[in-house]
Amino acid sequence: MAPYSLLVTRLQKALSVRQYHVASVLCQRAKVAMSHFEPNDYIRFDLLEKNINIVRKRLNRPLTLSEKIVYGHLDDPANQEIERGKTYLRLRPDRVAMQDATAQMAMLQFISSGLPKVAVPSTIHCDHLIEAQLGGEKDLRRAKDINQEVYNFLATAGAKYGVGFWRPGSGIIHQIILENYAYPGVLLIGTDSHTPNGGGLGGICIGVGGADAVDVMAGIPWELKCPKVIGVKLTGSLSGWTSPKDVILKVAGILTVKGGTGAIVEYHGPGIDSISCTGMATICNMGAEIGATTSVFPYNHRMKKYLNKTGRADIAILADEFKDHLVPDPGCHYDQLIEINLSELKPHINGPFTPDLAHPVAEVGTVAEKEGWPVDIRVACSHVETSGDCLLLTPGPTTHNAPGLIGSCTNSSYEDMGRSAAVAKQALAHGLKCKSQFTITPGSEQIRATIERDGYAQILRDVGGIVLANACGPCIGQWDRKDIKKGEKNTIVTSYNRNFTGRNDANPETHAFVTSPEIVTALAIAGTLKFNPETDFLTGKDGKKFKLEAPDVDELPRAEFDPGQDTYQHPPKDSSGQRVDVSPTSQRLQLLEPFDKWDGKDLEDLQILIKVKGKCTTDHISAAGPWLKFRGHLDNISNNLLIGAINIENGKANSVRNAVTQEFGPVPDTARYYKKNGIRWVVIGDENYGEGSSREHAALEPRHLGGRAIITKSFARIHETNLKKQGLLPLTFADPADYNKIHPVDKLTIQGLKDFAPGKPLKCIIKHPNGTQETILLNHTFNETQIEWFRAGSALNRMKELQQ
C-alpha cells in the first residue's frame, strides 16, 4: 500500500485542487480516521466535547488545555472525583504505542492475560535494538541478524493480537507517532518516557510502563493521579542561534529533574507561534527530564501546516472545527507559572551528568575549565587557540576528547537536519570539516529519504559525519564506541535528551552535554566547548577569519516528503491461525510466571539489599546498552539489577555486603542468594528514585529476585507506578531525615499491611545489630485499586482474578 502522504500528492496533481479538497476526496465520510493505517477507528471529538461540557459544568471554572484533553477522556465524567494532585482519574486513552525493548515484556504480559485481541489501536516500533557501529545500512543488517528471534516474536505477536508492527529501519517511535498517529486532542500512552513528544502536535501523550499499556490494550480504564498543571508562558519570538531546544534546556534549569513531577507542563502565550510543530515536539519530548507527566502546546497554524504536509489535511479540518476544545480557556488557573521571553533567550547547553545543569553556550567553556571538565574536541586534527574575541584554528596535534552526535527522538526532524546542514555548508565553503567524530541519526525512514533527496545528508557526510540507522542508537547506549577505553575522561556533545553517567557509552568518565543540533555541529567544527558561534570567529583553510551565520531553513520540505521504503506491517483481519512461539531454551525471550500473592502478614525482618547514595535513575537500576538484548527474558535481564547504583556503605557500584556470609559481591548475585535462602529484602533510596526511562524492568527485576519494598525520600512518577503494578511497595519516609537512621546492616519490619488503606501511613521498625530498635513512619500513594494489586501479587494477577 502506498503511504498516505504519497497518495495525497498523486491526487493533488491529478485533481489540481487544494489539499483540503484532497482530504474530502479520500474520506467521503463524516467521520475522520485517527490514522490512515486504521481507517475504521475514528477521532471522537464529539465525545471529547461532551465530556468537557460535563466537567466544565461540574467544576464551574475555566479549564486549561491539559484538563480539557485529560478530563475529556474520563471513563465517567459525571461522577469522577477531580482534584489536582490528589484524586486518581480513570481514563480511556485513544491508543497505545510500544518500542521494541519495552514491547517484549508488554506483549508477554498481554499474552499472559489470555485476551484474544487488543481493545484499542496499538503499534510496536523497532528502534531500540540497533547498535551504532559502522553506519546506517550495515548496522541495520547486523541488527536484523542478531535480533531475528525478537523481531519475529514482536511481528507474530502483533499479527496475532491486532497490533501494527513497524519493522527495524522504520525510525524512532516518537517521530513515527508524530508523522502518523499524534493529533490535537489525542490521549496516547506509550511504553517510553519520551512519549510526550506528541504534545508538539497538541496531544496528551504520556510515558508508562508495560503493565499500564496492557491495561489499556485489555480495555480496562487506565488510572492516573489527577495532574497539576504548570503553565509556561512564552512571549517574544525565537531568532538567530536560539532554538526550540533552548526553551526546554532553560525550563530544565528552572524546574530541575523533579520539578515537574505529578504535573503537566502546558505552554501558551504569543511566543508559541514562532516555534515549528517539530520544535514544539522537541520541547515536549525533553519534558520527561524534569519529571513531568507530559507537556503540551495548544493547537495552532504551525500544527495545521504539519498535519497538511504529512497527509492529514482531514484531521486539520476537523481540528479547526473543534479548536475551542484544543486551546486553554481564557482565565484558566495554573498551579505554577513560568514566563520566558524568547527574544531574550540565549542558546544553552546542559550537563554534564544531569540534564538540568543549564549553562548559556557563551559561558560553558569558562565553567568547564573551572570545574576541570574536558573542553577539547576528541580525535581532532588541529588544536584551537584563542586570539582576542575570536578562535583561530591552526594545525596541531591530535586532541583527545568529545564527539558530536545529532539526532535522537528529541532532535531528528527535517528542520533539525536542515539547520545542522546549514552550519556544515558554511564550514565546507571555507575548507573546514568537523574536528571530532560526528554522527547523524535521522528520526524516521521518511526523514532519511527526504534529507537524502534534498542534499542535507550529503552535506553532513561531506563535513565528516556518519549517517546512522533510523533508530535510537547512542542516545540509549546502543553505541559500539571504539575510540576510548572505559575510565578515560572525555567529553561528548549531543542533541539528545539525557546525559546520566555512562548512559551513552557505559563509560562513567564521559562528560555528556546536551544542546541543539546546530550548536553540536558548530562545536564539532570549532573543536572546543569554549566556542560561541554568536560572537567567535573561525579561521578558514585560506587563513581568513569568518563567522558562522545562524541557520535559517525551511521547517518542512518544499516538495512533499519522500516516504522512502514501506516498513509497516498491518495486522491481518483473521489471525486465528497465527502462531507466536517462545522457545523454552531461548536466552532472549521467556514466558512469564505469576508473582506470588501477599501472604496476609506484615513484612518482618527484611534484609537491606543496598542503601543507595545519591542519584539513582532507571539506568542505574536496569542498565540499557548491551543489556537491551535481554529485555524479553526476565531472569537474564535481572543480572543487571542495580549494578549502577552507589552503595552508601563503601561508595562503590555493584558491591554490597551479603548479610549472611559477610562478603561483598555484585548486587544481583546477593539478591539471588537471598531469594534462594528465603530471605526477603528491601532497597533504601534517595531523592527522585527511578527518574529517567519508563522501563518497567526496573520494577520487574527486584520483584523477580525477591524484593518486597523500596523505601526512598521520593519517587519519579512512572517508576513508582511500575513498582505498584508488580506487587512491590514503593514507600517514602514521612520524615526524609529518617533516611539517615537506617544502616545497611539493619533489618526492617513493615507493619500495618493488614489494615492497608489509602492515606494511612505504615510503621517501620528499624532493628539495629546491637539489639536497639527505632520506629519511623512510611507514607504511600496507594489507592484502593492499587492495594488490590499488592494483595493479588501484581496488577496482572488482579486482572486475571477479575476475569474469573
Side-chain angles (χ1 to χ4, degrees):
M1 172 183 173
Y4 184 75
S5 55
L6 188 58
L7 243 144
V8 169
T9 304
R10 290 171 179 169
L11 274 171
Q12 283 176 324
K13 291 178 180 178
L15 300 173
S16 298
V17 291
R18 293 182 179 179
Q19 198 162 15
Y20 63 83
H21 288 153
V22 174
S24 64
V25 171
L26 289 174
C27 297
Q28 294 295 326
R29 59 181 183 272
K31 296 179 179 179
V32 175
M34 284 196 283
S35 161
H36 64 276
F37 294 110
E38 298 127 356
N40 298 317
D41 292 298
Y42 303 112
I43 295 175
R44 293 297 310 276
F45 278 166
D46 57 331
L47 181 60
L48 184 78
E49 180 178 55
K50 178 183 176 182
N51 290 350
I52 289 172
N53 289 337
I54 292 171
V55 173
R56 190 196 305 278
K57 185 175 180 180
R58 288 181 55 202
L59 299 182
N60 193 30
R61 60 170 174 79
L63 300 177
T64 66
L65 170 61
S66 307
E67 290 180 304
K68 288 182 179 181
I69 301 176
V70 172
Y71 304 162
H73 286 83
L74 285 169
D75 182 53
D76 184 4
N79 298 298
Q80 171 71 61
E81 187 179 359
I82 300 171
E83 186 175 359
R84 288 188 198 170
K86 293 188 177 181
T87 58
Y88 278 86
L89 308 178
R90 290 167 60 84
L91 302 168
R92 292 286 184 177
D94 296 302
R95 65 180 309 119
V96 172
M98 299 168 281
Q99 42 96 333
D100 50 356
T102 51
Q104 295 171 64
M105 201 58 69
M107 293 309 296
L108 286 166
Q109 291 178 84
F110 188 82
I111 291 170
S112 296
S113 75
L115 296 171
K117 290 280 185 182
V118 296
V120 300
S122 304
T123 51
I124 294 169
H125 304 259
C126 294
D127 62 358
H128 270 57
L129 301 180
I130 303 169
E131 184 180 52
Q133 190 179 68
L134 301 173
E137 292 184 9
K138 292 180 180 178
D139 292 345
L140 182 57
R141 284 198 299 270
R142 179 170 175 265
K144 287 179 178 179
D145 180 54
I146 293 173
N147 302 307
Q148 182 179 6
E149 179 185 12
V150 172
Y151 291 148
N152 179 66
F153 166 73
L154 293 174
T156 56
K160 178 71 174 178
Y161 298 104
V163 179
F165 180 71
W166 287 86
R167 300 183 186 93
S170 59
I172 304 172
I173 177 174
H174 310 302
Q175 184 67 29
I176 296 293
I177 290 172
L178 200 69
E179 293 172 355
N180 297 280
Y181 298 115
Y183 59 83
V186 70
L187 177 59
L188 180 153
I189 68 165
T191 61
D192 189 278
S193 57
H194 292 108
T195 300
N197 191 80
L201 201 42
I204 293 294
C205 303
I206 301 176
V208 300
D212 275 333
V214 172
D215 281 354
V216 177
M217 291 191 293
I220 298 172
W222 174 59
E223 288 198 345
L224 175 72
K225 180 177 277 190
C226 187
K228 294 183 178 181
V229 186
I230 298 173
V232 179
K233 183 178 181 180
L234 302 179
T235 59
S237 61
L238 291 177
S239 62
W241 285 93
T242 306
S243 73
K245 186 68 165 281
D246 298 307
V247 177
I248 186 56
L249 295 178
K250 178 70 173 180
V251 171
I254 295 170
L255 289 176
T256 77
V257 291
K258 62 178 183 178
T261 302
I264 294 176
V265 179
E266 183 173 311
Y267 294 87
H268 62 284
I272 64 172
D273 287 333
S274 72
I275 305 173
S276 67
C277 178
T278 53
M280 289 186 269
T282 290
I283 295 168
C284 292
N285 176 293
M286 200 174 158
E289 273 47 80
I290 58 174
T293 300
T294 192
S295 303
V296 67
F297 278 82
Y299 178 64
N300 68 358
H301 71 282
R302 307 298 284 263
M303 296 182 191
K304 181 176 182 177
K305 184 177 181 180
Y306 184 80
L307 286 170
N308 287 339
K309 200 67 171 181
T310 52
R312 294 175 289 170
D314 49 352
I315 296 179
I317 294 170
L318 191 66
D320 283 341
E321 182 181 346
F322 287 86
K323 185 174 181 179
D324 287 348
H325 302 303
L326 305 175
V327 296
D329 287 338
C332 64
H333 171 71
Y334 295 104
D335 296 285
Q336 181 180 352
L337 184 63
I338 297 169
E339 296 194 30
I340 298 175
N341 186 336
L342 299 180
S343 299
E344 298 174 355
L345 183 64
K346 291 293 185 180
H348 273 62
I349 182 169
N350 289 21
F353 305 123
T354 184
D356 58 353
L357 186 57
H359 319 275
V361 170
E363 300 172 10
V364 70
T366 301
V367 175
E369 288 185 319
K370 180 181 177 182
E371 297 293 335
W373 304 331
V375 296
D376 295 326
I377 295 298
R378 171 128 185 109
V379 195
C381 296
S382 63
H383 72 277
V384 181
E385 296 177 355
T386 303
S387 176
D389 64 348
C390 66
L391 295 176
L392 304 179
L393 292 179
T394 59
T398 298
T399 57
H400 204 52
N401 285 322
L405 305 97
I406 65 170
S408 88
C409 62
T410 311
N411 281 111
S412 56
S413 68
Y414 182 84
E415 181 182 28
D416 290 326
M417 298 294 138
R419 288 175 71 88
S420 292
V423 175
K425 190 174 183 180
Q426 295 177 61
L428 289 168
H430 290 273
L432 298 184
K433 290 190 176 184
C434 290
K435 306 302 179 183
S436 74
Q437 294 183 39
F438 185 49
T439 68
I440 302 98
T441 306
S444 68
E445 170 61 10
Q446 180 168 275
I447 296 298
R448 184 209 61 78
T450 306
I451 66 172
E452 287 285 2
R453 181 198 67 192
D454 293 353
Y456 289 166
Q458 191 57 50
I459 292 171
L460 294 171
R461 287 193 193 96
D462 289 344
V463 84
I466 298 174
V467 178
L468 301 176
N470 313 322
C472 300
C475 182
I476 59 162
Q478 285 284 48
W479 184 16
D480 186 19
R481 191 177 182 189
K482 301 291 190 183
D483 61 298
I484 60 165
K485 297 178 181 178
K486 190 169 183 178
E488 192 174 340
K489 192 173 182 180
N490 73 104
T491 291
I492 66 173
V493 182
T494 82
S495 70
Y496 301 163
N497 39 56
R498 291 196 178 122
N499 54 355
F500 302 141
T501 302
R503 175 176 173 85
N504 302 119
D505 61 2
N507 181 7
E509 289 300 324
T510 292
H511 295 57
F513 294 83
V514 292
T515 186
S516 67
E518 54 266 44
I519 293 294
V520 172
T521 308
L523 294 179
I525 293 165
T528 176
L529 281 178
K530 296 189 291 183
F531 180 71
N532 177 12
E534 289 191 303
T535 59
D536 294 337
F537 289 76
L538 301 173
T539 300
K541 189 176 181 179
D542 59 2
K544 295 180 180 180
K545 293 191 297 182
F546 73 97
K547 189 176 176 183
L548 292 171
E549 296 181 1
D552 183 15
V553 299
D554 295 327
E555 64 187 89
L556 295 166
R558 296 182 183 182
E560 298 305 317
F561 275 111
D562 183 337
Q565 299 179 32
D566 185 0
T567 56
Y568 180 70
Q569 172 187 293
H570 289 268
K573 291 182 179 179
D574 180 9
S575 62
S576 57
Q578 179 68 57
R579 289 179 55 87
V580 181
D581 294 323
V582 177
S583 169
T585 61
S586 172
Q587 295 300 301
R588 299 288 302 270
L589 298 165
Q590 181 186 47
L591 293 175
L592 297 174
E593 295 292 333
F595 289 132
D596 60 304
K597 294 184 178 181
W598 175 55
D599 61 8
K601 301 176 183 178
D602 288 336
L603 298 175
E604 296 191 4
D605 293 329
L606 296 174
Q607 190 64 55
I608 296 172
L609 177 66
I610 182 173
K611 182 179 179 183
V612 178
K613 178 183 178 181
K615 184 186 283 284
C616 189
T617 71
T618 48
D619 283 283
H620 293 87
I621 304 168
S622 177
W627 291 97
L628 284 167
K629 60 178 172 286
F630 296 125
R631 285 284 182 88
H633 196 294
L634 180 54
D635 194 56
N636 283 344
I637 191 71
S638 295
N639 287 323
N640 76 359
L641 174 65
L642 286 160
I643 61 175
I646 301 301
N647 181 8
I648 199 169
E649 186 174 8
N650 56 13
K652 296 180 180 180
N654 201 26
S655 176
V656 295
R657 183 194 302 271
N658 184 312
V660 179
T661 68
Q662 293 300 305
E663 296 177 353
F664 280 86
V667 181
D669 293 357
T670 307
R672 287 188 185 277
Y673 179 94
Y674 289 161
K675 180 180 180 180
K676 182 179 179 180
N677 289 277
I679 301 171
R680 296 182 294 185
W681 51 264
V682 62
V683 169
I684 307 299
D686 211 318
E687 293 279 6
N688 206 33
Y689 184 90
E691 71 173 274
S693 166
S694 69
R695 68 192 66 157
E696 66 179 339
H697 300 78
L700 283 160
E701 292 175 32
R703 183 72 165 96
H704 174 64
L705 294 184
R708 302 306 304 179
I710 313 292
I711 305 173
T712 72
K713 293 180 182 178
S714 63
F715 285 97
R717 174 190 65 86
I718 301 177
H719 186 59
E720 182 180 23
T721 300
N722 286 344
L723 291 168
K724 292 176 181 178
K725 286 279 186 178
Q726 303 307 333
L728 282 155
L729 289 171
L731 306 170
T732 56
F733 297 105
D735 180 357
D738 288 343
Y739 169 87
N740 298 317
K741 294 180 179 179
I742 297 176
H743 305 286
V745 293
D746 296 335
K747 290 187 177 181
L748 306 181
T749 292
I750 298 174
Q751 297 180 336
L753 292 175
K754 293 180 181 179
D755 301 316
F756 198 11
K760 186 177 180 179
L762 299 173
K763 282 186 179 181
C764 178
I765 310 299
I766 307 171
K767 299 179 181 180
H768 302 299
N770 62 6
T772 61
Q773 297 185 0
E774 295 181 75
T775 301
I776 62 174
L777 292 180
L778 301 175
N779 290 333
H780 64 85
T781 59
F782 281 79
N783 62 19
E784 291 288 359
T785 300
Q786 294 165 347
I787 290 172
E788 290 174 356
W789 299 343
F790 170 73
R791 290 172 176 157
S794 71
L796 186 58
N797 288 357
R798 181 57 180 159
M799 182 194 299
K800 292 178 180 179
E801 289 178 354
L802 293 174
Q803 288 173 355
Q804 295 170 358

